[in-house]
Amino acid sequence: MELQIRKASKEDIKGLCRLMEQLNGRPLLPEEMERRLDFIDRNPSEELYVCTETTKGDQTAILGALGFRIRENLQNMSRYGEVSLLVTDRRVRRRGIGKGLMDFAERLATERNCIGTWLASGMGRVNEAHVFYKSLGYEITGYRFVKTR
């Protein structure tokens, strides 16, 4: 088994749809994922990576995905790497894939002169995702307030 992290491409749409359904609890049509990839192509600050595994017979499986972007903070004139999406296939959780993707995000942030890495995680993810992020040294530093139309 060999794990690799690389930029997502349109060839990954089927696997990305499967992961997004696991993350959001609802199916994502391939056309919707293609629109998201097109959005990323048009926005240089947005990046999407996949973690793949090459198995016997040269079959490639997508095991996880990472969204990443740079955030600049006017308050203290700093830059942070933001993890905008993290999902690991439920069939392979607790095998180090999420940690590997987070380590990758932190390396990207360091390479781009950021002072740290941050992410937002939903309140309903306290028992799994929040425990995971805390185990990696992340701290809860505030709340996110949202108003939708």
Side-chain angles (χ1 to χ4, degrees):
M1 168 181 76
E2 182 182 336
L3 293 178
Q4 180 183 23
I5 299 174
R6 60 169 172 75
K7 284 201 171 184
S9 70
K10 292 194 177 181
E11 289 76 31
D12 301 320
I13 287 176
K14 182 178 177 183
L16 286 166
C17 285
R18 180 177 39 77
L19 290 175
M20 294 303 287
E21 181 173 355
Q22 290 180 26
L23 181 65
N24 297 324
R26 61 176 177 76
L28 183 72
L29 296 173
E31 301 81 40
E32 292 177 82
M33 192 68 232
E34 186 169 1
R35 280 194 299 277
R36 291 174 188 209
L37 290 173
D38 289 339
F39 172 82
I40 291 166
D41 286 343
R42 290 189 313 273
N43 293 282
S45 63
E46 299 289 334
E47 300 173 43
L48 182 63
Y49 295 89
V50 291
C51 178
T52 63
E53 174 185 55
T54 302
T55 59
K56 296 174 187 170
D58 291 330
Q59 296 293 318
T60 301
I62 297 175
L63 305 179
L66 168 75
F68 183 83
R69 61 181 159 231
I70 300 296
R71 289 288 186 173
E72 295 184 340
N73 183 338
L74 292 177
Q75 180 182 358
N76 60 9
M77 296 297 293
S78 60
R79 291 166 55 96
Y80 279 87
E82 178 187 359
V83 173
S84 58
L85 177 132
L86 180 71
V87 58
T88 301
D89 189 320
R90 68 171 54 104
R91 297 174 294 187
V92 293
R93 289 190 182 143
R94 293 176 182 73
R95 282 188 30 198
I97 293 157
K99 182 178 183 330
L101 286 165
M102 290 298 291
D103 288 346
F104 182 79
E106 291 173 12
R107 283 194 307 275
L108 287 174
T110 298
E111 290 168 6
R112 296 170 189 187
N113 300 315
C114 296
I115 65 169
T117 310
W118 74 279
L119 58 95
S121 181
M123 299 299 285
R125 307 204 45 176
V126 172
N127 293 329
E128 287 192 39
H130 295 191
V131 170
F132 170 68
Y133 298 133
K134 287 179 182 179
S135 77
L136 298 178
Y138 287 79
E139 300 175 32
I140 297 172
T141 60
Y143 294 97
R144 178 177 67 170
F145 294 88
V146 177
K147 181 178 181 180
T148 57
R149 290 182 212 143

